[in-house]
Amino acid sequence: MWLNGSYEALSGGSTTEGFEDFTGGVAEMYELRNAPQDLYTIIRKALDRGSLLGCSIDITSAFDMEAVTFKKLVKGHAYSVTGVKEVGYRGRMERLIRVRNPWGQVEWTGAWSDNSSEWNYIDEDEREGMVQMEDGEFWMAFPEFLRQFSRLEICNLTPDTLDDEEMKKWNMSVFNGSWRRGSTAGGCRNHPATFWINPQFKVKLEEEDDDPDDNELACSFLCALMQKDRRRYRRHGQDMHTIGFAIYEVPEEYHGCQNIHLKKDFFLTHSSCARSETFINLREVSNRIKLPPGEYVIVPSTFDPSKEADFVLRVFTEKQADSEELDDPITADLEDEEEITEDDVDENFKAMFRQLAGDDMEISVFELRTILNRVLSKHRDLKTDGFSLDSCRGMVNLLDKDGSGRLGVVEFQIMWNKIRTWLGIFRQYDLDKSGTMSSYEMRLALETAGFKINNQIHQVIVGRYAENDALDFDNFISCLVKLEAMLRSFKALEQEDGTIELNLANWLSLTMSG
């Protein structure tokens, strides 16, 4: 506790945050005016799993705080729910709920209270042990509970919290992730151009719930999304982000696949099958969800794009369920390097090259920069600061086979062909014809160029090459040159197990040339 200050650090939070901070569990809240039809079953299952349950009555003004109602319930007071039971009453089954006042006194005086006449009409064996006078605990009919109380909060405990081996336990999956501007912070479904870029997590539900009173074949689970460390940023004037999540059924052709990140077209043509009830600026958003057996992808997001934060996503399932993060594998469709000779080079291209290269018939890094920037100046639709010496040095290193640090006519022809191809891709993904490419579209553009990357590498690339969520043409080309060079170097050194082994000289040779 000293690590985070003291109990005072909990000041100013909500009941659910207190529940979670003390237990590490997942809290959920129900407004009893709009209670789900199966709330009694939810409460019974929660108690079977050792969950903590609290309830309260709303106050309408400060004068209401701790005010006692006509039937001795205290407004604005934190009660706990300690049990449920169905009893035979006058020829029918009556659902009862047991509530505890932590004061140990001031108990409910309505139906099913300690001295009420209802107890005279149930079997003596059932009544045994249910009524303990003036201990702070009392029973109520469940419909009456829904009328009298305003809110129910449940804190579902993690499996490692419970010591009782006989107690039923949730199955839990935990994922840590982040939203980063330009790469993984796509915003909610209102932003279809970027929503797909958010982190994605798959859960596989195979076993239906055990509930004899429910004929629906469904799997229940809790989904909880928490933004991390936001209180720490309050001193810098930052508040909680508005967060939520959406859940989609995984198409049959992707069942069993982990190495996939669903793209924009999927979300444009598929509707969510479940989602958080609302996007809200709370530390955590959680919902209880029931879906048929199948595979589903959970997409957590902030409401607006480009909001940066770390998060933790927790999934509690009633039955065993497989879950994993979805992401593309890092792959490259590296074509065999062009096998061309000087004889294959067009005469007009040779003449241009002679004019550019001079007497030595080779182009240096400095000459390459002059040539490329001169060409770029003629493409007025492209926004660019011009190629830097570092960018041109990377191009030379990619194709310089003899280590001269210069490009001959054949090498220059190959480089020229690559740039022309990449220019076509850049224009394809410059959707608004601004002369730049959105950093969110960068991932799709790289895939079109033959390079598939994951979230981590996308974040690195955006941080290195993008500015204000956009890439200009020279940075796009520089990125592709660097990617191809590093991947070709890896492939040349790759062993059968997919790894490489380098000594210091190898490492310096590889990194210094890049």
Side-chain angles (χ1 to χ4, degrees):
M1 181 58 70
W2 283 107
L3 193 65
N4 293 299
S6 67
Y7 290 116
E8 189 179 6
L10 292 172
S11 176
S14 64
T15 304
T16 53
E17 287 186 10
F19 266 155
E20 293 182 344
D21 287 344
F22 276 102
T23 68
V26 168
E28 51 184 328
M29 183 173 67
Y30 296 95
E31 297 292 343
L32 297 183
R33 289 182 180 177
N34 301 306
Q37 290 185 345
D38 60 342
L39 183 61
Y40 191 82
T41 301
I42 290 172
I43 294 172
R44 175 175 54 77
K45 287 186 174 183
L47 291 167
D48 288 343
R49 286 183 166 84
S51 303
L52 307 177
L53 289 83
C55 57
S56 59
I57 302 171
D58 285 345
I59 59 173
T60 55
S61 69
F63 297 105
D64 262 356
M65 192 64 188
E66 305 293 354
V68 180
T69 68
F70 174 66
K71 293 189 177 180
K72 296 296 181 69
L73 294 177
V74 186
K75 292 185 176 181
H77 188 60
Y79 288 84
S80 55
V81 175
T82 59
V84 291
K85 190 170 183 178
E86 291 190 64
V87 296
Y89 174 69
R90 291 187 166 181
R92 59 181 175 84
M93 298 304 293
E94 180 80 59
R95 286 181 167 183
L96 302 180
I97 185 167
R98 187 173 62 201
V99 180
R100 181 176 182 272
N101 182 348
W103 286 353
Q105 52 189 345
V106 188
E107 292 186 10
W108 163 251
T109 58
W112 298 101
S113 59
D114 289 352
N115 292 308
S116 71
S117 60
E118 283 80 9
W119 294 107
N120 298 327
Y121 296 94
I122 69 168
D123 188 271
E124 195 170 319
D125 291 337
E126 282 190 303
R127 191 171 65 226
E128 182 69 30
M130 289 184 69
V131 181
Q132 305 290 331
M133 296 295 187
E134 297 302 324
D135 60 346
E137 266 187 334
F138 54 87
W139 291 91
M140 304 176 70
F142 187 65
E144 187 68 32
F145 170 79
L146 297 179
R147 283 192 293 271
Q148 295 291 337
F149 284 89
S150 309
R151 187 173 294 104
L152 172 72
E153 292 165 299
I154 303 176
C155 182
N156 301 278
L157 303 180
T158 58
D160 57 328
T161 306
L162 301 170
D163 294 328
D164 190 347
E165 292 299 323
E166 295 183 1
M167 191 164 285
K168 296 178 181 178
K169 299 179 181 180
W170 290 100
N171 293 285
M172 180 179 70
S173 299
V174 180
F175 300 100
N176 288 284
S178 61
W179 296 298
R180 291 292 176 264
R181 178 172 181 163
S183 58
T184 56
C188 71
R189 295 169 301 148
N190 295 346
H191 307 276
T194 56
F195 176 68
W196 67 275
I197 208 71
N198 287 298
Q200 301 173 11
F201 304 89
K202 186 176 78 172
V203 59
K204 185 177 182 180
L205 306 173
E206 295 182 292
E207 298 182 63
E208 299 92 352
D209 299 343
D210 291 329
D211 193 346
D213 298 329
D214 190 352
N215 295 323
E216 183 183 6
L217 293 179
C219 307
S220 296
F221 64 100
L222 285 171
C223 189
L225 174 64
M226 179 188 292
Q227 48 189 319
K228 296 164 66 174
D229 304 323
R230 296 311 300 176
R231 283 189 177 190
R232 180 185 304 172
Y233 299 121
R234 283 180 180 171
R235 69 191 69 171
H236 305 297
Q238 300 182 35
D239 205 348
M240 298 285 183
H241 290 316
T242 302
I243 61 171
F245 56 84
I247 301 177
Y248 294 79
E249 187 172 4
V250 175
E252 194 169 332
E253 62 267 28
Y254 294 137
H255 280 194
C257 297
Q258 177 187 7
N259 295 328
I260 184 172
H261 187 96
L262 296 173
K263 301 298 189 294
K264 179 166 61 176
D265 288 346
F266 170 81
F267 295 105
L268 289 175
T269 56
H270 292 77
S271 299
S272 62
C273 56
R275 58 186 179 275
S276 52
E277 287 185 4
T278 182
F279 274 73
I280 193 168
N281 59 338
L282 292 177
R283 185 178 71 169
E284 184 172 59
V285 173
S286 66
N287 277 101
R288 184 182 292 259
I289 296 165
K290 291 177 74 172
L291 290 171
E295 293 188 16
Y296 299 91
V297 60
I298 304 169
V299 185
S301 72
T302 56
F303 186 78
D304 294 314
S306 302
K307 300 293 185 181
E308 294 195 326
D310 296 322
F311 67 83
V312 59
L313 177 71
R314 292 184 288 174
V315 181
F316 282 39
T317 55
E318 285 201 8
K319 297 295 187 72
Q320 189 64 42
D322 295 329
S323 55
E324 59 195 350
E325 182 171 3
L326 292 179
D327 210 349
D328 288 325
I330 301 173
T331 61
D333 182 15
L334 296 176
E335 297 179 355
D336 293 336
E337 295 181 341
E338 291 185 68
E339 295 289 340
I340 65 173
T341 66
E342 195 169 330
D343 294 336
D344 299 318
V345 180
D346 181 79
E347 288 300 325
N348 291 331
F349 192 88
K350 286 181 185 178
M352 180 192 71
F353 184 81
R354 289 190 195 98
Q355 186 179 358
L356 297 171
D359 294 337
D360 62 359
M361 286 298 288
E362 286 193 317
I363 290 178
S364 69
V365 170
F366 300 94
E367 290 169 329
L368 180 61
R369 182 172 72 162
T370 300
I371 294 165
L372 291 179
N373 287 340
R374 190 180 300 165
V375 172
L376 275 184
S377 67
K378 298 177 181 178
H379 291 271
R380 300 189 182 279
D381 64 317
L382 300 177
K383 191 169 287 187
T384 174
D385 297 328
F387 286 98
S388 67
L389 278 177
D390 277 346
S391 299
C392 294
R393 191 171 287 113
M395 296 181 202
V396 171
N397 290 334
L398 176 62
L399 294 167
D400 177 25
K401 302 306 178 187
D402 57 9
S404 66
R406 293 168 175 267
L407 297 181
V409 64
V410 172
E411 295 161 334
F412 185 67
Q413 173 76 77
I414 294 171
M415 187 74 250
W416 191 255
N417 292 343
K418 287 180 182 294
I419 291 176
R420 285 168 55 191
T421 300
W422 292 339
L423 172 60
I425 294 172
F426 183 85
R427 283 182 167 144
Q428 177 185 343
Y429 286 95
D430 177 13
L431 300 178
D432 59 359
K433 307 304 177 187
S434 64
T436 63
M437 179 195 301
S438 163
S439 59
Y440 292 102
E441 301 293 350
M442 176 72 167
R443 188 163 176 169
L444 295 175
L446 292 179
E447 191 167 329
T448 301
F451 303 99
K452 190 174 281 190
I453 58 172
N454 61 15
N455 286 342
Q456 179 185 2
I457 302 303
H458 190 200
Q459 286 184 22
V460 171
I461 287 174
V462 169
R464 170 67 176 83
Y465 294 99
E467 184 176 356
N468 296 325
D469 298 346
L471 286 88
D472 57 17
F473 181 67
D474 56 287
N475 274 318
F476 178 65
I477 298 298
S478 299
C479 174
L480 286 166
V481 168
K482 184 74 170 180
L483 263 179
E484 181 167 340
M486 298 308 292
L487 285 163
R488 286 195 185 278
S489 297
F490 184 91
K491 291 294 182 183
L493 299 168
E494 188 176 14
Q495 302 180 44
E496 290 184 3
D497 62 354
T499 63
I500 62 173
E501 188 174 318
L502 301 173
N503 58 30
L504 182 58
N506 297 144
W507 172 252
L508 288 174
S509 176
L510 180 64
T511 55
M512 293 302 289
S513 65

